[in-house]
Amino acid sequence: MKVAIVGASGAVGQEFLRLLDERNFPMDELVLFGSERSAGRKYCFRDKELEVKLLRHGDDFKNIDIAFTSAGAGVSREYAADITRHGCVMIDNSSAFRMDDDVPLVVPECNAEDARQRPRGIIANPNCTTIMMVVVLQPLEQLSHIRRIRVSSYQSASGAGAAAMQELQQQYRELVETGEVKTIKKFPHQLAYNVIPQIDVFQPNGYTKEEMKMFNETRKIMHTDARCSATCVRVSSLRSHSESVWIETERPISVEEAREAIANAPGCTLVDDPATLIYPMPLDTAGKDNIFVGRIRKDLAEDNGLTLWLSGDQIRKGAALNAVQIGEWLIANGAL
């Protein structure tokens, strides 16, 4: 088993390295690829020093079984044919192919079997906020069909990459040292001590691309007709996203039913004891694999409604971990 990481020097690429090691991913060899800027860098993996190779057109993927790609949509589109030409399965973390009809969009807890049908040799990794939400909604969907979803996200700087995390830290330093923020590059406004009600670019309907991803990707992953209305907000936490979710189901789901279903669901951890001020927070969920769920309660505005709060690590389950789990499922189920 030979595995590659494309975009090895980025935040998600580095998380791939950690997870493949932590989870003892079954492979004999790992190859790292990157841009001209990162080519030549060296990283330690399982007591070996690996050098990042320059990503280029050609046959470098000829003997590779799985490639985890996280170098942006443009790079994924440009090199997809090179990566998949000789039978390598491309598990892509970008938005390039997510809504293509001939590319499965997979969250293993929800629709792992979709990964078998991949006519182009590509499996798409969904958007981080969508992954986190559908992991939690899947056990509730099994209780009663979800008709409508309303969600507000609280997305940390990590969602915009390593440079964005560094920018947030720099902004706080500048405020302490000079009382004024001078560095604003990765976000449209100052993020320190602020929230920004925009993630990605606005669309003609007034929603952003991030918000429309939650609408479209949820339907594809869960094979559902549910409609999702989202407001995605960047907040000044460093890592881990959170979401406030309202759902309307065909029949009422009790709080007790929901708690039991989530407590027993793969990929979920129930953290819900408001009497003792226990609920999920980014500080606690950063670096963890599961999605943590709390504040489950009946919706006062809808008889068949339920509302909940969730938090999870955007770089792990929201990106690298989900992709690695897809790879693990392919191997375990003879689906390569």
Side-chain angles (χ1 to χ4, degrees), residues 320-335:
L321 176 60
N322 194 75
V324 169
Q325 289 174 319
I326 293 171
E328 291 172 340
W329 188 90
L330 293 174
I331 294 168
N333 290 274

Side-chain angles (χ1 to χ4, degrees), residues 77 120 127 137 165 169 172 186 191-192 198 286 306:
R77 291 190 190 98
R120 291 163 62 185
N127 185 48
L137 294 189
M165 297 168 73
Q169 292 171 316
Y172 279 119
K186 299 297 293 185
L191 183 58
Q198 175 194 353
L306 202 68

Side-chain angles (χ1 to χ4, degrees), residues 7 29 53 81 101 110 151 165 167 186 191 206 217 255 268-269 294 315:
E29 185 178 351
K53 299 175 62 175
D101 291 338
C110 300
V151 54
M165 297 168 73
E167 180 172 305
K186 299 297 293 185
L191 183 58
E217 292 180 19
V255 171
C268 294
T269 298
I315 302 176

Side-chain angles (χ1 to χ4, degrees), residues 11 78-79 85-86 143 145 153 208 228 285 308:
E78 180 179 351
Y79 290 95
R85 182 178 296 121
H86 300 289
L143 296 176
H145 176 53
S153 71
T208 65
C228 177
T285 62
L308 57 85

Side-chain angles (χ1 to χ4, degrees), residues 212-243:
M212 291 311 301
K213 288 174 187 175
M214 297 194 76
F215 179 94
N216 292 314
E217 292 180 19
T218 298
R219 291 162 73 96
K220 184 173 180 178
I221 297 162
M222 296 183 68
H223 301 286
T224 181
D225 60 356
R227 291 178 290 171
C228 177
S229 183
T231 299
C232 293
V233 182
R234 187 75 69 192
V235 299
S236 56
S237 59
L238 194 62
R239 181 161 171 166
S240 263
H241 292 352
S242 301
E243 301 175 22

Side-chain angles (χ1 to χ4, degrees), residues 58-135:
D59 292 328
D60 285 345
F61 292 85
K62 189 172 184 178
N63 297 311
I64 292 174
D65 299 287
I66 296 175
F68 297 105
T69 59
S70 187
V75 171
S76 290
R77 291 190 190 98
E78 180 179 351
Y79 290 95
D82 296 277
I83 294 170
T84 60
R85 182 178 296 121
H86 300 289
C88 175
V89 177
M90 177 180 180
I91 302 178
D92 184 52
N93 191 54
S94 80
S95 62
F97 310 108
R98 287 174 183 159
M99 297 312 300
D100 291 8
D101 291 338
D102 53 359
V103 175
L105 184 68
V106 176
V107 176
E109 293 88 344
C110 300
N111 64 329
E113 285 289 337
D114 288 1
R116 292 187 187 275
Q117 303 299 320
R118 45 178 194 277
R120 291 163 62 185
I122 303 169
I123 300 170
N125 210 36
N127 185 48
C128 53
T129 46
T130 307
I131 290 173
M132 293 163 55
M133 184 175 73
V134 299
V135 166

